[in-house]
Amino acid sequence: MRVLVIGSGAREHALALALRKDPAVTEVTVAPGNAGIAQHVDVRAVNASSGEEVVALAQELAADLVVIGPEVPLVLGVADAVRAAGIPAFGPSASAARIEGSKAFAKDVMKVAGVRTAHSEIVDHPGELDAALDRFGPTWVVKDDGLAAGKGVVVSPDRSVAREHAAELLENGHPVLLESFLDGPEVSLFCLVDGENVVALLPAQDHKRVGDGDTGPNTGGMGAYTPLPWLPEQTLTAIVEDVVKPVAAEMVARGVPFSGLLYAGLAIGQGGPAVVEFNCRFGDPETQAVLAMLDSPLAELLYATATGTLDQVAAPRWKDGSAVTVVLAAENYPGRPRSGDIISGAESTGTGTESEVLHAGTAQREDGALVSAGGRVLSVVGQGADLAEARANAYARLSGIKLPGGHFRSDIGLAAEEGRITIPAAV
């Protein structure tokens, strides 16, 4: 099987390495890829958001499967273009990708499906903002109603901070979504979905804030770990049965069946699981940890999803132990990141053993030097017999990497390791 992966981040690096290990896969190409991915597989230049360019490349490579990583190409219909050319595509149609592309659409789907989520209101005119803010609090959640790569969200007990963010979004022509605050620890659950067939992967927990102790602004994600020692199996089952399956069924009923990876972000509070958001693709940085634990052929699972045969393949198998992803970010991220700094010690082995370095925002200069070229530069993944060992392996590998001005969180997975995460006993 020849597989083309679309994207350029650490998520795509993880996908490429996992696909390369599948004995059924004879060739993996990533487009446009990055400097680290190029160490292991062929990379090709492409405009990932152009269905025409992606189809042309897939046809040139005689690809048997196209895996689309980022959300923007999916929302723009690249998977539709690939399927129209007769090539299996892992990723939802543009209509189904609205589950991420439009939070208002997602809220309506959840309402009809009877899925618990935060109360919300859309504000699309500055004159309506203050009255709407008065209906929320004492913790305000303000979101960009469109795609914002995880950084269009402000959660604050300070009304003025919430108002400033909402006003900025409105000034830039973006509708604002105000939500009630959901308490409890958050869970990221990836599910392979083929119409109404749902196969859950390992649950993970992301760390969105830039600083230790969940301080500072939101980012695209500073690290993640899997599995979750504090999440009971019955709660995981409830998420699949009461959240993901009803949403998948509702999308089929609307004539926009979901095919691909449906990512449910949830808060586990007193009332049980409640949806914070849905995404239409593998999440980053959770994917890096989840795929490190996968002990099944990845291509088989993705191809079955893409071809509507998910119910005909065996459930995924998982390794024992834990995996932790720690993100090394460029100076000033999540603001405008500094780029062009030389990175040393970031060689990627491609073996996926105790630790692995996955590239995201990297490039190679003409003189061969590896340099930073984005906000989240690297993902370092550690594996171990338990969470403590996985954390130790990740941070040990990270200690050998040098990036001027680079920063990372030192507490990824620490609260879980120390047993400080709990959910209500009834959940």
Side-chain angles (χ1 to χ4, degrees), residues 236-304:
L236 181 60
T237 299
I239 293 170
V240 174
E241 296 297 327
D242 301 337
V243 175
V244 183
K245 285 186 176 180
V247 164
E250 172 59 20
M251 294 188 75
V252 169
R254 291 179 180 224
V256 287
F258 194 95
S259 172
L261 194 290
L262 186 58
Y263 162 171
L266 310 108
I268 314 297
Q270 189 67 47
V275 174
V276 176
E277 64 179 358
F278 276 108
N279 292 325
C280 65
R281 38 69 194 183
F282 277 105
D284 184 335
E286 299 99 324
T287 297
Q288 293 87 297
V290 171
L291 290 185
M293 299 300 294
L294 183 65
D295 202 28
S296 296
L298 178 61
E300 178 184 51
L301 292 166
L302 302 189
Y303 187 80

Side-chain angles (χ1 to χ4, degrees), residues 71 73-77 92-102 105 147 251 256-258 278-280:
E71 63 272 24
L74 293 168
V75 170
L76 293 177
S93 65
S95 295
R98 285 183 294 162
I99 198 76
E100 177 172 1
S102 169
F105 174 80
L147 297 176
M251 294 188 75
V256 287
F258 194 95
F278 276 108
N279 292 325
C280 65

Side-chain angles (χ1 to χ4, degrees), residues 56 90 116 119-120 128 164 183 191 238 288 357 366 382 398:
F90 181 84
R116 291 186 70 245
H119 166 68
S120 66
E128 302 168 355
E164 181 181 0
D183 62 346
C191 292
Q288 293 87 297
V357 179
E366 289 185 4
L398 186 56

Side-chain angles (χ1 to χ4, degrees), residues 30-409:
V30 181
N34 61 44
I37 296 173
Q39 295 174 12
H40 305 296
V41 301
D42 184 34
V43 298
R44 301 288 290 273
V46 75
N47 176 359
S49 296
S50 167
E52 184 178 352
E53 286 193 29
V54 170
V55 167
L57 179 58
Q59 291 173 332
E60 177 189 338
L61 297 170
D64 300 296
L65 175 66
V66 176
V67 179
I68 302 170
E71 63 272 24
V72 172
L74 293 168
V75 170
L76 293 177
V78 172
D80 300 85
V82 173
R83 277 190 281 266
I87 304 169
F90 181 84
S93 65
S95 295
R98 285 183 294 162
I99 198 76
E100 177 172 1
S102 169
K103 294 178 179 65
F105 174 80
K107 290 289 186 182
D108 189 58
V109 168
M110 285 185 275
K111 180 180 178 181
V112 176
V115 170
R116 291 186 70 245
T117 187
H119 166 68
S120 66
E121 289 185 30
I122 295 284
V123 180
D124 56 10
H125 189 281
E128 302 168 355
L129 178 58
D130 284 313
L133 285 168
D134 289 342
R135 292 190 287 272
F136 289 83
T139 297
W140 284 265
V141 180
V142 181
K143 297 182 178 181
D144 188 329
D145 186 47
L147 297 176
K151 293 178 286 185
V153 181
V154 161
V155 180
S156 176
D158 188 330
R159 187 183 187 281
S160 63
V161 170
R163 187 183 190 280
E164 181 181 0
H165 181 61
E168 182 180 355
L169 291 174
L170 290 167
E171 186 176 340
N172 291 325
H174 295 228
V176 168
L177 184 77
L178 299 180
E179 287 188 340
S180 58
F181 177 69
L182 294 174
D183 62 346
E186 292 195 3
V187 174
S188 298
L189 183 63
F190 297 168
C191 292
L192 302 173
V193 176
D194 152 26
E196 293 195 40
N197 295 315
V198 175
V199 174
L201 306 185
L202 283 184
Q205 187 177 59
D206 187 11
H207 295 62
K208 282 290 188 187
R209 301 278 189 167
V210 72
D212 282 5
D214 293 326
T215 58
N218 270 350
T219 70
M222 293 299 293
Y225 65 96
T226 188
L228 308 181
W230 47 267
L231 185 69
E233 188 66 32
Q234 65 265 28
T235 305
L236 181 60
T237 299
I239 293 170
V240 174
E241 296 297 327
D242 301 337
V243 175
V244 183
K245 285 186 176 180
V247 164
E250 172 59 20
M251 294 188 75
V252 169
R254 291 179 180 224
V256 287
F258 194 95
S259 172
L261 194 290
L262 186 58
Y263 162 171
L266 310 108
I268 314 297
Q270 189 67 47
V275 174
V276 176
E277 64 179 358
F278 276 108
N279 292 325
C280 65
R281 38 69 194 183
F282 277 105
D284 184 335
E286 299 99 324
T287 297
Q288 293 87 297
V290 171
L291 290 185
M293 299 300 294
L294 183 65
D295 202 28
S296 296
L298 178 61
E300 178 184 51
L301 292 166
L302 302 189
Y303 187 80
T305 306
T307 56
T309 58
L310 186 58
D311 58 342
Q312 300 174 28
V313 298
R317 301 182 307 275
W318 303 99
K319 301 172 187 175
D320 294 330
S322 297
V324 173
T325 303
V326 183
V327 170
L328 177 63
E331 182 174 335
N332 200 42
Y333 178 80
R336 185 179 180 87
R338 198 171 79 180
S339 62
D341 289 309
I342 292 178
I343 308 164
S344 62
E347 294 75 22
S348 176
T349 66
T351 59
T353 51
E354 284 189 353
S355 61
E356 179 60 276
V357 179
L358 303 174
H359 289 230
T362 66
Q364 193 165 26
R365 294 193 319 207
E366 289 185 4
D367 63 3
L370 182 71
V371 297
S372 59
R376 293 186 294 174
V377 180
L378 301 169
S379 285
V380 179
V381 182
Q383 296 180 54
D386 55 23
L387 191 50
E389 185 178 342
R391 291 188 73 252
N393 287 334
Y395 283 107
R397 182 68 181 87
L398 186 56
S399 68
I401 300 173
K402 306 302 177 188
L403 170 64
H407 61 97
F408 58 90
R409 282 184 59 161

